[in-house]
Amino acid sequence: MCRIAGVISNRLTAETAMEKVALMCDALKHGGPDDEGFFSDETVGLFFGHRRLSIIDLSQNGHQPMADVQQKVWITFNGEIYNYPELKQQLLTLGVSFHSNTDTEVIINAYIKWGVSAFSKLRGMFAFALYDKARATTYLVRDSTGVKPLYYHVDKETLSFASEVKAFRIARITDESDPNWPIRFLAFGHLPEPYTTLKDVRSLAKGHYLIWEHNIQKFSIARFYKAPEKIYITDIQVAYEAIRETLQAAVKRQLIADAPIGVFLSGGIDSSLVSLLANTQRKQKLKTISIFFNEKEYDERSYQSTVLKKISGEKHSHLVQQQDFEELFPRIINDMDMPTTDGINTWFISKYAHEDGLKAVLSGVGADELFGGYPSFNRIKYIEYLRRTPSPLFFAANYFKTDRYRKISFLSHNHYLADYLLLRGLFVPADIAKILNTDVNNVGDVLFSDKSVTGLGAYNEEMAAWFETNLYMQNQLLRDTDVMSMSHGLEVRVPFLDEDFQQLACSIAPDIRFNKNQPKKILIDSFSKILPEAIWNRPKMGFTFPFQEWMLRHSEISNERLYRGKFAQNSVMKFKSGQMHWSKVFALYQVQLHV
């Protein structure tokens, strides 16, 4: 796990390009504190940078950028390839030789042997730049789930890329803000891909690769991942066995590490299950990291204790208080890279994991999206009925006082994102226009001008799963998890998002995959022998902090006089009187901080 950066340009001098890459790497050193490396080929104007977090093969053999023996192919790589031992064995039988035990070298040789088709053979989380000297081509490649971020900027035949958006600004590649980012942020609570806070800095789509042709200094983007055709599993006993077998295999291969590795344990179903499975697979004693609070309604120690009794190894539990939030808040905001209404929880638990000596942890992210763990899975059916309403009536929803009914106004736009925002949106377009002092039609154009996705099917659980996976999890959970954990030099692995496990989950017939009365029932039943009832037979909390109380007492967030505009000030007053969720006032705070 690392951070990567690079510049490809014949317009810049070698000295200038190298300076920019060095500045980007310096901005990213928190994510790669163990080593730094650079590679350049001035004949094509290529400059790669790398910051290393050593997880597999801790020796200097893992130094990057790395090349094959003949130095025909160079790579700067961020991530982990979990099936690299199997791929390495295949390549050895084909006569390929290796000089390290790294997964990085496996990627290089897989590409040399199989070309771009090698990308689809990789199982893991990855973002890398790969330079093929003979073909005068560089590829930017991002994993099929989009666990690892990869941003790029193209301007005047110059390509720049980095693992975080802040690197482009710090290296003076571009500091021009995207004027529309506050609109998207106030609607979503995050910046939806491919957009960022910077103009023309884009996120490479998951499962895709960018091809930069050095001879003509132009690029194109292609897809390497295609979801397999569904053949539904309709027998629930077959589904149980497949879930057990595939998730156990995912946990086992994601425990591969030459550095200390542990598990985040919140006390919920997902983290508890990952912890219990990791405990059976790990040869060394498992280290768990948990958080608790003085606020009783958020305290999950009793559930954590239930799981910890079944686990051997080091058990670390940390108290987080209002004072910690207050003291560390400025650093947290700085580490976000881009504004978000999530991620503070990950920042804290990653901080403690790092302090407890860990370099990598397993997380339970992904199970809710795969098995119906959110209220949206039951609520989505109502959108079908609402969509039958004459669209002019949706505008009338703006006159409702409660947010729940005002959000119906999203449906005045015939767009899939309007459906999603009805389920998870923060502010409606009319309110965003008031906050930013702009025209409501402009807000609608920004949010819904992109081509609408077709073929999503009926308003059912599978559509909800698509929304939660490709929008909420992709744009918020995964991005926030990556940037917040890497701010502490910590790698977070996500077994539920193992490619094989995801494919299995999506191949289970919806009528047995989802349950209207008990979220994630099929997952619970699959592991009924090891998962205590006290863990699954309880109210769902998620990994939640007491933010409603903490932000209420925060001297800046709750001070309406610091906000611009009457609507924003009134919103803070509503928050202080208990009429508004903390995520909305936190979004307002960040907008007024940056705009």
Side-chain angles (χ1 to χ4, degrees):
M1 184 64 65
C2 309
R3 283 303 197 230
I4 63 173
V7 171
I8 302 174
S9 177
N10 282 326
R11 299 173 64 91
L12 300 174
T13 66
E15 183 181 5
T16 299
M18 193 66 250
E19 179 189 7
K20 290 184 180 298
V21 174
L23 285 169
M24 285 197 283
C25 284
D26 190 54
L28 300 171
K29 63 183 177 182
H30 53 267
D34 297 331
D35 191 18
E36 180 179 59
F38 300 96
F39 165 74
S40 65
D41 185 343
E42 295 183 20
T43 62
V44 293
L46 178 140
F47 302 85
F48 280 178
H50 188 266
R51 294 291 319 198
R52 185 184 182 198
L53 178 66
S54 306
I55 304 289
I56 293 175
D57 192 339
L58 309 184
S59 72
Q60 274 299 108
N61 288 335
H63 178 77
Q64 291 191 51
M66 184 184 292
D68 66 303
V69 175
Q70 296 180 316
Q71 297 194 346
K72 291 182 177 180
V73 174
W74 285 84
I75 191 172
T76 180
F77 162 55
N78 169 29
E80 302 291 351
I81 306 301
Y82 301 124
N83 66 333
Y84 86 93
E86 298 95 316
L87 291 175
K88 184 174 183 178
Q89 191 57 45
Q90 290 181 42
L91 292 165
L92 285 169
T93 60
L94 295 173
V96 176
S97 59
F98 292 84
H99 58 80
S100 76
N101 191 36
T102 65
D103 51 351
T104 311
E105 192 181 8
V106 171
I107 299 173
I108 294 171
N109 284 294
Y111 168 78
I112 292 171
K113 202 69 179 178
W114 298 311
V116 295
S117 64
F119 303 155
S120 62
K121 298 179 185 292
L122 305 176
R123 293 290 179 267
M125 51 183 187
F126 53 86
F128 60 83
L130 185 146
Y131 169 48
D132 185 331
K133 279 189 174 183
R135 290 185 172 88
T137 302
T138 292
Y139 303 92
L140 302 186
V141 189
R142 190 179 182 203
D143 67 70
S144 61
T145 301
V147 179
K148 302 311 299 175
L150 186 54
Y151 303 99
Y152 67 95
H153 176 265
V154 177
D155 178 50
K156 297 178 181 177
E157 300 178 338
T158 296
L159 169 67
S160 307
F161 64 89
S163 298
E164 294 181 25
V165 173
K166 69 177 67 171
F168 296 92
R169 190 187 295 274
I170 291 172
R172 299 187 297 277
I173 290 168
T174 179
D175 61 359
E176 185 178 359
S177 292
D178 182 340
N180 294 323
W181 79 255
I183 292 176
R184 298 187 180 100
F185 176 58
L186 288 171
F188 288 90
H190 57 253
L191 272 297
E193 293 185 2
Y195 302 104
T196 69
T197 51
L198 293 179
K199 186 178 180 182
D200 297 328
V201 172
R202 293 287 183 261
S203 176
L204 181 65
K206 62 183 179 180
H208 285 68
Y209 60 99
L210 182 152
I211 310 122
W212 182 269
E213 298 179 71
H214 293 278
N215 293 333
I216 59 175
Q217 296 179 311
K218 293 187 181 298
F219 76 96
S220 58
I221 295 176
R223 179 193 296 269
F224 71 82
Y225 175 79
K226 185 178 180 181
E229 187 175 341
K230 288 182 182 178
I231 302 175
Y232 281 127
I233 298 171
T234 57
D235 186 318
I236 197 164
Q237 295 300 325
V238 173
Y240 288 154
E241 181 59 33
I243 288 172
R244 282 193 293 269
E245 181 180 315
T246 312
L247 186 58
Q248 285 171 343
V251 170
K252 182 178 181 179
R253 69 184 182 186
Q254 294 200 17
L255 283 168
I256 294 175
D258 296 320
I261 187 169
V263 182
F264 284 160
L265 174 62
S266 68
I269 293 169
D270 312 329
S271 68
S272 297
L273 185 53
V274 169
S275 298
L276 291 164
L277 291 176
N279 185 60
T280 64
Q281 299 282 1
R282 187 68 173 161
K283 293 180 181 179
Q284 302 173 5
K285 288 186 176 181
L286 190 68
K287 185 179 285 189
T288 57
I289 310 296
S290 301
I291 278 176
F292 68 95
F293 310 99
N294 287 328
E295 291 82 356
K296 297 299 181 185
E297 60 269 38
Y298 297 92
D299 190 0
E300 296 193 86
R301 271 178 292 182
S302 63
Y303 304 111
Q304 295 165 0
S305 178
T306 299
V307 176
L308 290 172
K309 289 176 183 176
K310 294 177 171 288
I311 292 175
S312 59
E314 296 181 36
K315 301 156 187 178
H316 297 268
S317 187
H318 300 272
L319 171 66
V320 184
Q321 303 180 81
Q322 170 90 32
Q323 181 181 349
D324 301 310
F325 174 70
E326 297 275 356
E327 290 179 358
L328 296 168
F329 185 69
R331 182 179 165 191
I332 294 169
I333 291 291
N334 181 67
D335 286 346
M336 279 180 175
D337 191 36
M338 292 192 291
T340 177
T341 53
D342 197 16
I344 298 177
N345 46 7
T346 302
W347 190 94
F348 270 104
I349 199 166
S350 297
K351 170 183 179 290
Y352 294 124
H354 173 76
E355 291 173 358
D356 291 331
L358 291 174
K359 279 196 169 183
V361 293
L362 270 58
S363 165
V365 170
D368 285 316
E369 290 77 8
L370 289 172
F371 297 106
Y374 296 123
S376 59
F377 284 83
N378 285 335
R379 292 174 183 169
I380 195 166
K381 61 188 176 186
Y382 298 113
I383 300 180
E384 182 176 6
Y385 303 124
L386 287 169
R387 279 294 185 192
R388 296 172 185 171
T389 304
S391 58
L393 295 179
F394 292 133
F395 290 100
N398 284 307
Y399 296 98
F400 286 116
K401 290 186 177 181
T402 60
D403 289 345
R404 177 182 297 180
Y405 297 114
R406 285 175 61 76
K407 286 168 71 172
I408 295 173
S409 65
F410 277 120
L411 298 185
S412 60
H413 299 273
N414 186 24
H415 197 280
Y416 78 105
L417 289 177
D419 294 335
Y420 169 79
L421 288 169
L422 173 60
L423 297 169
R424 278 201 176 270
L426 285 186
F427 292 97
V428 299
D431 293 345
I432 295 172
K434 293 175 184 176
I435 296 166
L436 300 175
N437 193 28
T438 188
D439 183 73
V440 68
N441 292 324
N442 176 49
V443 174
D445 290 342
V446 170
L447 294 178
F448 307 114
S449 61
D450 287 352
K451 184 178 178 182
S452 187
V453 174
T454 58
L456 292 179
Y459 288 100
N460 56 22
E461 293 95 337
E462 284 193 304
M463 181 186 280
W466 191 93
F467 278 156
E468 297 292 6
T469 298
N470 292 283
L471 297 173
Y472 177 63
M473 183 185 77
Q474 180 65 62
N475 297 324
Q476 186 146 333
L477 294 186
L478 290 181
R479 195 203 74 84
D480 292 349
T481 295
D482 175 81
V483 74
M484 292 306 211
S485 62
M486 291 299 279
S487 71
H488 299 286
L490 182 77
E491 170 182 295
V492 175
R493 301 177 175 184
V494 280
F496 284 111
L497 299 182
D498 173 272
E499 291 91 337
D500 295 339
F501 187 74
Q502 285 188 84
Q503 289 176 17
L504 166 69
C506 293
S507 72
I508 298 172
D511 60 329
I512 60 174
R513 178 182 169 192
F514 306 108
N515 187 286
K516 291 180 172 59
N517 299 316
Q518 185 178 14
K520 297 183 284 193
K521 187 176 190 303
I522 192 171
L523 182 65
I524 295 165
D525 291 347
S526 296
F527 293 97
S528 58
K529 291 183 179 179
I530 67 168
L531 192 64
E533 182 178 353
I535 299 300
W536 58 262
N537 191 14
R538 52 164 291 200
K540 177 177 173 59
M541 285 182 64
F543 186 24
T544 307
F545 276 42
F547 291 134
Q548 197 76 18
E549 294 86 345
W550 289 1
M551 291 189 186
L552 186 63
R553 295 193 287 268
H554 191 276
S555 60
E556 291 185 0
I557 296 174
S558 62
N559 186 352
E560 67 277 6
R561 289 173 295 181
L562 298 179
Y563 292 75
R564 293 181 294 274
K566 188 175 180 181
F567 184 90
Q569 293 170 358
N570 288 340
S571 295
V572 178
M573 295 297 289
K574 286 175 66 177
F575 166 66
K576 291 167 73 172
S577 63
Q579 301 175 61
M580 181 174 284
H581 192 262
W582 65 264
S583 60
K584 298 185 73 172
V585 76
F586 188 37
L588 285 174
Y589 173 79
Q590 292 179 79
V591 167
Q592 66 92 28
L593 199 67
H594 294 286
V595 175

